[in-house]
Amino acid sequence: MMPRPNQIDALTCGLRLPLPALDAAHLEIIAEGLHRAFQEVRAVHPTEVASGSEAEVTALVEARLNVATGQDPFWGQLVLCAVRGKESVSFDGSQIEKRPDLSIYLSSRTRNFPLIVEAKILDFATAKTAALYCDKGLCRFLTGEYAWASQEAFMMAYVRDGSSITGQLTPLLAKDMARVQPRYSVQTLPTFTGTQTGDLACSQHIRAFTYLNQAPPTHIPGPISIWHLWLA
């Protein structure tokens, strides 16, 4: 797959990357909105939440988020809409059909770069482990597949086996940091926020790719903050 600089030029016209960091208070509001949407879905569709596929649960969450934009004035001021499986372009344009699970379009952010949420089921009995969560989710942000123009993104877990960030994710990332060739490029281990929004923590990770349309030294994207929201 060859890079497509023209795709990147079209997306980033007039922008300097990475985009300015989103305010932590706004990200906490997003986390609260995701948590509330999940709780509402679980109350109405318990079977799907307990045993449905990742796509089934995420589709229901997407619907609730979009209902909230019309019912909650505060949420509607911050979020324009949520879109599931919106095709996106990788950092160099070599892949133009990437499909993150949820793209949240913010009123304050360019439409070409929504806030990305990648969702994963955690269920040890079906081999959906924290390692898979990282390998098939977290890594996509580190290699420039998702959220490459941004400084933050969400990983959202539908927890079915009692897993927690403290019990599973933090030890896994700490072990990876000690390796000679770490896979997850951890700069900061998950740090919990001051909110009561489920199991919510933020970790930072170094990104290795560079921007095609910016000359050194501004071609370095810098680290990305991953907000982990684990929903039981």
Side-chain angles (χ1 to χ4, degrees):
M1 293 180 287
M2 297 296 292
R4 297 182 177 91
N6 60 320
Q7 295 283 346
I8 304 306
D9 287 342
L11 282 170
T12 62
C13 182
L15 300 176
R16 173 62 62 88
L17 303 182
L19 297 173
L22 293 171
D23 191 284
H26 289 166
L27 291 166
E28 289 178 4
I29 293 170
I30 298 295
E32 291 170 4
L34 290 167
H35 185 229
R36 181 172 62 250
F38 177 80
Q39 287 182 314
E40 292 171 352
V41 166
R42 183 178 58 189
V44 179
H45 306 282
T47 301
E48 287 83 350
V49 169
S51 59
S53 68
E54 175 189 302
E56 286 181 279
V57 181
T58 303
L60 292 169
V61 170
E62 174 202 28
R64 289 306 309 166
L65 291 173
N66 285 325
V67 167
T69 61
Q71 294 182 342
D72 183 339
F74 187 62
W75 177 260
Q77 287 179 6
L78 179 62
V79 174
L80 297 175
C81 67
V83 178
R84 184 174 64 92
K86 173 68 171 66
E87 288 187 350
S88 63
V89 178
S90 63
F91 80 96
D92 61 358
S94 61
Q95 301 176 78
I96 59 174
E97 295 180 328
K98 303 304 298 181
R99 294 181 177 86
D101 290 317
L102 276 175
S103 298
I104 298 179
Y105 289 84
L106 304 177
S107 58
S108 61
R109 181 61 62 97
T110 172
R111 305 299 186 271
N112 282 337
F113 296 107
L115 177 64
I116 300 300
V117 182
E118 185 68 359
K120 289 285 176 283
I121 290 172
L122 287 176
D123 185 8
F124 187 80
T126 56
K128 298 182 184 299
T129 63
L132 189 68
Y133 168 96
C134 291
D135 292 341
K136 300 297 183 181
L138 173 63
C139 284
R140 291 172 176 168
F141 297 104
L142 313 184
T143 58
E145 292 184 45
Y146 296 165
W148 48 270
S150 303
Q151 297 189 53
E152 58 283 302
F154 271 84
M155 284 289 299
M156 183 166 63
Y158 307 132
V159 180
R160 295 176 177 171
D161 60 1
S163 294
S164 67
I165 293 174
T166 300
Q168 279 70 40
L169 181 62
T170 299
L172 176 66
L173 296 181
K175 183 178 179 180
D176 185 72
M177 289 179 76
R179 292 175 177 166
V180 176
Q181 294 182 318
R183 177 171 175 78
Y184 307 128
S185 304
V186 182
Q187 188 175 69
T188 305
L189 288 170
T191 302
F192 287 87
T193 69
T195 70
Q196 300 299 315
T197 306
D199 199 359
L200 177 67
C202 180
S203 61
Q204 284 196 317
H205 304 261
I206 298 168
R207 297 184 282 187
F209 63 89
T210 56
Y211 294 133
L212 293 186
N213 63 338
Q214 293 182 186
T218 63
H219 66 310
I220 304 296
I224 186 168
S225 297
I226 302 296
W227 288 63
H228 304 273
L229 177 61
W230 287 26
L231 301 163

